[in-house]
Amino acid sequence: MKKHPTPAPPGKYELNEAALEPNLEFPVVSDFISKTPRLGPQVMLERIAQTMPWRSTRPGEQERRAREKVAAEFVL
């Protein structure tokens, strides 16, 4: 059985060193059929409305969002 790293204390946001290693082990199941979840747009909008206040208060979130902004203006 694998030993998992100890969880970080509450309120401390930093990546575990083990999470940075691209060492993923996926099981091989020949009869597995992947199906996308079927959620309505309204359900997704409600989830976003619930999580946005929390997401926007994470440390470094405003800086991350500023880096991802598109610098060019465009019209849809």
Side-chain angles (χ1 to χ4, degrees):
M1 183 152 72
K2 286 188 175 184
K3 291 194 173 206
H4 295 282
T6 56
K12 187 175 182 185
Y13 300 100
E14 59 183 56
L15 281 176
N16 187 330
E17 293 299 321
L20 298 175
E21 297 177 18
N23 186 13
L24 303 175
E25 297 176 17
F26 295 104
V28 176
V29 181
S30 60
D31 59 345
F32 177 76
I33 299 173
S34 176
K35 296 182 180 178
T36 58
R38 297 176 187 219
L39 297 174
Q42 193 59 40
V43 173
M44 291 306 297
L45 289 174
E46 289 172 9
R47 286 187 184 180
I48 291 169
Q50 291 172 357
T51 60
M52 278 307 289
W54 168 78
R55 289 177 184 265
S56 61
T57 60
R58 292 186 296 184
E61 182 66 14
Q62 292 179 356
E63 293 81 8
R64 184 193 67 78
R65 289 178 58 108
R67 282 193 310 268
E68 291 182 359
K69 285 186 179 178
V70 176
E73 289 187 28
F74 58 92
V75 178
L76 295 177

